[in-house]
Amino acid sequence: MRFSQSLIPTLREAPANAEIPSHVLLLRAGLIRQLGSGLFTWLPLGVNVLQKVERVVREELTKRGAYEILMPFVQPAELWKESERWQVMGPELLRLADRHDNEYCLSPTHEEVVTDLFRNNVSSYRQLPCNLFQINTKFRDEIRPRFGVLRSREFIMKDGYSFHLDEETFDATYQAMYDAYAAILTRLDLDFRAVEADPGLIGDGDSHEFHVLANTGEDALAFSQDGDYAANVERAEAITEELRPDSKKDLTKLATPGVTSIESLVDFLEIDIVSTVKTIIVEGKDSPIALVLRGDHELNELKAARLPNVVQPLRFATEEQVLDAVGCKLGSIGPVGLEIPVYVDRAAGVLADFYCGSNETGFHLSGVNWDRDVSCDNNVDIRRVQEGDPAPDGSGPLSIVRGIEVGHIFQLGTKYSRSMQASVQDANGVNVFPLMGCYGIGITRLAAAIVEQRHDEIGIDWPTEASPATLHVLSLNAERSELVRTTSNQIYSDCMNAGIDVLYDDRPERPGVKFADADLIGIPHRVVVGERALNEGKVEYRYRRGETSLVEPSDIVRRLNA
RNA sequence: CGGAGUGUAGCUCAGUUUGGCAGAGCGCUGCCUUCGGGAGGCAGAGGCCGCCGGUUCAAAUCCGGCCACUCCGACCA
């Protein structure tokens, strides 16, 4: 690729509307341009990266028995109505009509279409298991696109779907896909974690997410430093090892004028926050429902939403609903005397002599004890785990890091095969609904996640397998030197003939400009062709930011292939 | 959708408070000098000041409406 003839519009300054490193650097290094909110054009260098990432993904999947297909991006509404997702999904599903007024959607994912394909073409258990994938554009009308290509509306994803007659073959494929994802991220030289995940609304079985670790990640991951436990904090179980001590104090009502938060209660009474509980009222199917947490803990909304009779998705009660159900304002709620269902988090349930709201505005209670003063029958896990909490499998304290979710694998069970009547005949001639698995990995998101994890103050640091090129050749002042010109042209054509990807900076720019752009773009191998070294018959070779060495021009290809 | 902010040259941004010739730096074109880490000089090109309407002798600037983009929140295979 000749720099001068390609379209590589590098920028000296960061565009004003880019905030995070991957967005800034992909723009500055000339890999992408933004068209609109959540919509991006990929320029030549960017397309190279996508193709490299796709190649790694394809190789790891096909060697594990998955076959590539390509399904339509625009899909008829009928299929989505069959699975009922037309009704269930909100405005993130972009719907449109054609000239005949028929309804369609832009596909965010392809379960319906692949299941339809399967039922129309597979009818015997002899054809199972079947594992298909595609790499295709997706569209999700995100409420708020952000973080550049990390959360865009239109994006490229590899999505795969497998069909199975029994658990055994399903488990084997699930494990193979798990291994494929780990292999992909390993080849891309990324620091990543596979974690237990919440399957969301898609399925109900096992689910794992693959996260690239980065400070800008949207997800928090909990993992034990010593053991194998790793989970999304949304999913991580919070266990409590302490036992409840005996009560020592009497229940006492305290006047606490103006105290409406745990922080102000702690300050006002000069007490330990760990001796307090907070009570949160959420909407329930029959009546509001109270959730009790230790003062320093945070509610895990996914856990709370799974409690019986809690509405899904979780909604906090309004001030009016609280006044109606409890009889006080938001800052004075407590579990004692409530006539609505009360769920107590495990950690709150082991407290004795604690402080809480009195359900009377302006007053709190001290010396409160479970069983004696208020029932603690519904002891549940509803809090977010914190740094230092014990891992639920006993493997030591948890650390919490941030990650970018690049892959997600699910067990779909028979949800789609059943709702779309995609049955096959088993060996006994009985029609059965196959088990399905679903495996996604974001191509464009992965490209951004790489930059997010691998950059420094001067630019990107591409892993070899995702780099827009293997080698960056800079010819310095070629217009003044016949020798520089012919040598760099020779290196370029030698590499092309040897199948090595080269970005050849043949522009008539000053050396400083070329060096700065090379640092920014971040291709791992660099060869500088200039008069200085050519006087000794050599060119300068450097691996990323390592030491420079002088090598024979004719030796470049051999070195890169070594 | 709620809250905050920004829209002026390809990019970064002044100018808007107090209405009066459309600006700077970088980038781009040409010439000269320089020539291994974003050079210097000279001469240029480049604008629907987001859009529509209003006020005014006069609007980038004031008023009304709309749109786009960014950030915070709710949402998220």
Side-chain angles (χ1 to χ4, degrees), chain A residues 256 259-262 322 328-333 357-358 361-364:
Chain A
T256 51
V259 173
T260 58
S261 68
I262 289 293
V322 169
C328 69
K329 292 190 182 168
L330 282 175
S332 305
I333 312 168
S358 65
T361 304
F363 294 90
H364 281 77

Side-chain angles (χ1 to χ4, degrees), chain A residues 476 515 519 524-530 532-533 538-551 559:
Chain A
L476 303 189
F515 285 124
D519 290 339
H525 301 274
R526 182 186 301 183
V527 165
V528 176
V529 183
R532 195 187 281 174
K538 304 284 180 86
V539 295
E540 295 157 41
Y541 165 81
R542 188 157 76 127
Y543 181 70
R544 196 157 288 125
R545 278 137 218 172
E547 293 294 306
T548 298
S549 56
L550 293 178
V551 302
R559 279 175 166 266

